Amino acid sequence: MNKSRDTTRAQESTNAIERLYITMRHLFNRGFYKPMGVSGETLRNALLQLRPEIYGSIAEEKTELDGLVYVLERLPEGIEQCRFINLTSDEGYGKAHFAPIIPPKRRRNCYRIDAEQMNIEITRGRSDIYDILTHLTFLFIESHKICKRVLIEDTDKTIRDWGKLEAAVKKQELSRSDREVALIHTANILNRSFEEVLTYYKKFATKKEPEKFLHIIYWMGKLAIEEEVTGDKRAITFTSLLRERLGHHIHGERWANRIKEVLAKNDLLSRPIHIISANMHSVMNSLFAKKALHKEYPNNGSLDIYKALSSSENHLLQKKVSDIAKKNGMIIINDDSGTNIDVQIFDLAKLGKDACCYDLTMDIPNDQKPVIFVMDYAFGEQAYETIDELLKPYKSTKTGDIFLDVASISIMGKAGILEGGKGDLMIPSAHIFEGTSDNYPFKNELSAKDFQGHGLEVFEGAMVTVLGTSLQNRDILKFFHKSTWNVIGLEMEGVHYQKAIQSASKIRKSIREDVKVRYAYYASDNPLETGGTLASGGLGTTGVKPTYLITDRILEQIFNS
């Protein structure tokens, strides 16, 4: 007799992720689906089986509020009011009267077409679609929890709490007593305590919309109730132009061509180029801030200066550093390609005396001095599209193909850590692509010893490139961490960057074969810890120290190379 073998939660979760991605690709190719209809059932069931950490209590009766905060920060404002959501390519909506709606935590242009329809532009590849669809699936599941609690079974009547919430939402202005009464009814609808609901009411409230939380819960429930009572389902559509363009590097090619034109115009194409994928402030500040602000901070260390510069209130200090950088060879290329990836180019031949905080060897001729190229963070698969296009030769109309002299490529960023806490460091030795057997070992020019003695824990090992951070659960992560894979963290771009670098250096030979690579990440969250996920809040100033420590180590190696 065969012995039956029970599957583990990690195996079930892996299968759920696989079903999610196969289903999302199928629905994309189909062109439309109804999230709460038969066509969306597989997505819903897979997400409920997976129970990602970021979505908290999605599989329970009570409404998940941390997950709701996380999701709505990454979706356009007002999406909970829309029955029709269209995912589109860049189709020229910006040239019409529509003002773009940009979510606070995810740079994507969205357009409210009318009271019922939201269009979301997809210019960052498949990862953007996966991200949006999983967030929307969460939102629809939560909306139907509300519906089930307020709709009286086998009728089209609702419970008293719903009527009270509806009355409060329709009022122009609420007094404190009106608001608290409405929150008490809302707490019953959400199966949460009044104290919990009051906390989230404050999280959502803005000066312009103090009652935003009540409106969100009302519209989520309202559309779900209408679906249940009338049978008119919400729909998600993918435009034919988006389906035609996706995967063809249209935005990445446009982005890379513009950059190479700027490099050519400034006679920088033949110079050694050091590419850094980072934010748009740490390299500039590391190069110039300490000397630019020596009057304002004569006795303070670099970290105090960087913390001050990270505050949005100190825009005058930020401008002063930026102005000094521009006088000393910084060129800014603001994105107009749709990739949402801005660029800074630092021409080290134009550094003025005592302007820079790093010393460059004096005997290097100007036409051989390095160029530092900083690109803003890519998103998932977009990392492959942009770097792959950037590393291709520049096609000059006069001289034909000009190959870039790329000396190094450095990737820094935030990642989920599996041991340690927020702000700790991860130095990968390989990237593993989740859901496949693809793995990318490499020689990392950075090592753990480069970061010792700064009060941060440092971990070395393999890192998993995931298809979406919102789909991870403890069971899968524990397997990766405890097994012989020796995984120290998870992020979304590493495999895609390394795949492009290896193909350009080892196969296409468009850049030097011995190009140096550096990868370093700092922890934005620990999804294995209770309350340690991205949904629990941002890093605040905790991220300043690791960001600038990694930047400093990258720049030290560039200046000493």
Side-chain angles (χ1 to χ4, degrees):
M1 284 179 62
N2 290 329
K3 291 183 179 179
S4 62
R5 184 173 178 270
D6 293 332
T7 56
T8 65
R9 268 290 296 152
Q11 288 169 327
E12 288 173 3
S13 300
T14 301
N15 290 338
I17 288 179
E18 191 176 356
R19 284 202 310 279
L20 276 162
Y21 284 105
I22 290 170
T23 304
M24 284 192 277
R25 286 205 168 200
H26 163 71
L27 295 173
F28 173 75
N29 291 331
R30 184 186 181 205
F32 77 98
Y33 77 104
K34 296 179 178 178
M36 298 310 295
V38 175
S39 53
E41 188 176 8
T42 306
L43 271 187
R44 299 196 308 273
N45 291 343
L47 201 62
L48 289 168
Q49 183 183 14
L50 185 61
R51 299 196 297 276
E53 297 307 309
I54 213 128
Y55 294 148
S57 58
I58 186 173
E60 298 174 25
E61 280 190 23
K62 64 181 180 181
T63 303
E64 168 53 38
L65 295 176
D66 271 331
L68 188 63
V69 173
Y70 178 84
V71 162
L72 290 179
E73 284 178 337
R74 286 154 178 82
L75 291 174
E77 188 171 350
I79 198 161
E80 72 281 354
Q81 303 172 13
C82 297
R83 289 185 59 232
F84 303 99
I85 298 164
N86 287 5
L87 272 58
T88 77
S89 179
D90 179 0
E91 299 178 20
Y93 300 110
K95 294 177 181 176
H97 70 280
F98 306 110
I101 305 167
I102 301 170
K105 294 289 179 73
R106 202 62 98 223
R107 290 177 301 173
R108 47 173 71 109
N109 289 336
C110 311
Y111 300 93
R112 185 75 177 265
I113 303 303
D114 54 38
E116 292 189 305
Q117 181 176 331
M118 182 75 74
N119 283 14
I120 304 175
E121 275 187 359
I122 304 294
T123 58
R124 306 177 80 177
R126 287 190 182 91
S127 297
D128 222 7
I129 294 175
Y130 299 153
D131 190 60
I132 290 165
L133 292 189
T134 48
H135 290 339
L136 288 175
T137 303
F138 165 84
L139 197 64
F140 295 138
I141 289 170
E142 294 300 319
S143 72
H144 271 257
K145 284 186 192 176
I146 296 169
C147 172
K148 284 178 184 176
R149 286 190 62 82
V150 303
L151 195 61
I152 298 168
E153 201 171 352
D154 299 326
T155 71
D156 59 357
K157 308 286 187 201
T158 55
I159 62 173
R160 180 171 177 268
D161 294 295
W162 182 254
K164 295 293 183 182
L165 172 61
E166 187 172 38
V169 166
K170 289 181 177 177
K171 280 189 177 180
Q172 291 288 340
E173 196 173 334
L174 295 180
S175 65
R176 180 179 173 180
S177 61
D178 288 339
R179 182 181 303 115
E180 288 176 353
V181 168
L183 288 173
I184 288 168
H185 290 295
T186 304
N188 192 41
I189 290 167
L190 302 180
N191 200 14
R192 293 279 191 171
S193 70
F194 171 73
E195 188 177 20
E196 284 178 303
V197 167
L198 185 60
T199 300
Y200 288 96
Y201 168 85
K202 290 174 182 175
K203 281 187 180 182
F204 279 100
T206 63
K207 284 184 179 179
K208 190 178 176 183
E209 294 179 273
E211 316 303 337
K212 188 175 180 179
F213 177 69
L214 295 176
H215 285 259
I216 286 168
I217 299 303
Y218 170 72
W219 278 101
M220 284 172 65
K222 176 180 165 63
L223 294 191
I225 292 165
E226 286 176 1
E227 274 193 341
E228 196 68 29
V229 172
T230 67
D232 291 335
K233 303 290 185 186
R234 285 171 279 189
I236 293 176
T237 305
F238 309 91
T239 65
S240 56
L241 201 56
L242 173 64
R243 286 183 286 148
E244 180 186 315
R245 285 178 172 178
L246 195 72
H248 291 293
H249 292 199
I250 289 167
H251 300 287
E253 185 179 22
R254 194 185 299 164
W255 174 82
N257 286 344
R258 173 142 187 259
I259 288 159
K260 289 170 197 170
E261 284 165 8
V262 172
L263 289 170
K265 184 181 175 183
N266 289 275
D267 296 322
L268 301 175
L269 281 173
S270 61
R271 301 257 294 277
I273 296 172
H274 296 268
I275 297 169
I276 304 176
S277 171
N279 51 61
M280 287 288 99
H281 54 79
S282 64
V283 174
M284 177 182 70
N285 290 344
S286 296
L287 289 172
F288 300 107
K290 197 169 181 181
K291 292 195 173 180
L293 302 178
H294 69 278
K295 289 182 181 176
E296 290 83 351
Y297 295 90
N299 302 314
N300 292 46
S302 301
L303 193 58
D304 294 316
I305 297 172
Y306 299 148
K307 282 182 178 177
L309 287 168
S310 70
S311 171
S312 57
E313 296 174 3
N314 291 326
H315 61 275
L316 290 176
L317 293 180
Q318 293 161 2
K319 185 178 184 302
K320 185 172 183 180
V321 176
S322 179
D323 289 345
I324 293 286
K326 287 173 187 173
K327 287 177 184 175
N328 287 274
M330 182 177 78
I331 302 165
I332 294 174
I333 307 176
N334 292 319
D335 178 64
D336 61 4
S337 67
T339 60
N340 284 310
I341 298 177
D342 295 332
V343 164
Q344 294 166 334
I345 297 169
F346 297 90
D347 180 356
L348 299 190
K350 292 186 178 178
L351 291 178
K353 188 181 178 184
D354 294 329
C356 184
C357 302
Y358 295 82
D359 295 321
L360 195 63
T361 306
M362 296 296 292
D363 57 359
I364 303 175
N366 275 354
D367 62 355
Q368 293 176 30
K369 284 184 177 175
V371 173
I372 296 175
F373 171 96
V374 183
M375 58 181 282
D376 209 345
Y377 296 120
F379 185 70
E381 288 185 19
Q382 188 191 35
Y384 176 77
E385 176 179 333
T386 48
I387 290 289
D388 182 58
E389 292 296 332
L390 184 64
L391 300 183
K392 290 177 181 177
Y394 172 62
K395 296 190 179 299
S396 168
T397 52
K398 294 179 181 178
T399 58
D401 287 355
I402 300 173
F403 291 84
L404 275 65
D405 182 14
V406 179
S408 74
I409 300 172
S410 304
I411 313 297
M412 65 166 284
K414 293 183 287 187
I417 199 167
L418 301 184
E419 188 178 340
K422 289 185 177 184
D424 288 337
L425 301 175
M426 289 157 279
I427 313 300
S429 55
H431 289 297
I432 303 161
F433 199 11
E434 180 190 47
T436 73
S437 55
D438 297 354
N439 52 83
Y440 297 80
F442 51 86
K443 183 187 182 302
N444 195 341
E445 296 296 317
L446 298 171
S447 65
K449 69 176 185 294
D450 295 325
F451 300 94
Q452 302 294 349
H454 293 274
L456 299 171
E457 285 199 75
V458 190
F459 301 89
E460 270 185 305
M463 291 188 71
V464 174
T465 297
V466 298
L467 293 156
T469 52
S470 59
L471 293 181
Q472 305 312 303
N473 70 7
R474 276 192 177 87
D475 304 291
I476 293 177
L477 299 178
K478 280 178 182 175
F479 166 75
F480 273 126
H481 185 46
K482 300 295 182 185
S483 71
T484 53
W485 283 110
N486 185 32
V487 167
I488 56 171
L490 61 147
E491 47 74 55
M492 283 185 65
E493 291 80 31
V495 157
H496 306 298
Y497 279 125
Q498 191 59 26
K499 185 166 60 172
I501 294 165
Q502 287 182 194
S503 64
S505 61
K506 311 288 186 193
I507 301 169
R508 291 179 170 179
K509 311 290 186 184
S510 58
I511 61 170
R512 59 171 76 173
E513 192 168 349
D514 63 346
V515 62
K516 287 179 166 55
V517 294
R518 305 180 188 92
Y519 289 91
Y521 300 90
Y522 62 93
S524 56
D525 62 302
N526 185 335
L528 291 180
E529 286 184 358
T530 302
T533 69
L534 284 168
S536 65
L539 274 165
T541 56
T542 307
V544 174
K545 185 175 182 178
T547 296
Y548 283 93
L549 183 58
I550 294 170
T551 307
D552 176 66
R553 294 301 178 266
I554 291 171
L555 290 175
E556 274 185 353
Q557 289 195 7
I558 290 171
F559 274 81
N560 293 328
S561 61

